[in-house]
Amino acid sequence: MDANRVLEALDAGEFEGVSHTYQPYRGYGNQTHQVAMSVSGGTIVVSKITSGKFFDGKENTRYSETDTESLTGMDAVNFIAQRPYYFAQVRPDLF
């Protein structure tokens, strides 16, 4: 994978509209983690969703927390390098 060519394609908007919600995985205790990503322009928006439950003395209480991060430049290219499948469907010549 040529990082410079991938960055050029990302900045040119060739990955516009690529999005995916990855399969959740178990964390410590009763927590579940899930990663979702979407591409808008030259930016990859990554949402990390943590959900779970805890006992508050009377009943189980559920919670969900979302942490959103915007990746541009080489940070976005590093994300693509870790998870290239959906990007390779759009531009297979880069991978």
Side-chain angles (χ1 to χ4, degrees):
M1 181 181 100
D2 184 5
N4 291 327
R5 289 183 58 208
V6 171
L7 181 59
E8 289 173 8
L10 181 65
D11 289 339
E14 295 183 31
F15 296 121
E16 180 78 31
V18 173
S19 65
H20 183 69
T21 302
Y22 296 94
Q23 184 170 348
Y25 58 93
R26 286 249 177 241
Y28 179 75
N30 292 329
Q31 291 184 339
T32 303
H33 305 282
Q34 189 169 24
V35 176
M37 67 90 182
S38 64
V39 180
S40 178
T43 304
I44 300 175
V45 179
V46 179
S47 299
K48 297 175 184 172
I49 305 155
T50 302
S51 59
K53 62 183 178 180
F54 64 92
F55 186 71
D56 67 357
K58 290 185 178 180
E59 61 187 9
N60 286 326
T61 304
R62 296 192 178 275
Y63 66 91
S64 181
E65 299 172 357
T66 303
D67 181 31
T68 304
E69 183 179 7
S70 296
L71 303 175
T72 57
M74 290 310 289
D75 290 335
V77 172
N78 291 337
F79 180 85
I80 292 171
Q82 292 174 351
R83 299 171 171 92
Y85 180 77
Y86 296 97
F87 299 94
Q89 289 182 341
V90 177
R91 285 287 308 271
D93 59 308
L94 296 176
F95 297 92

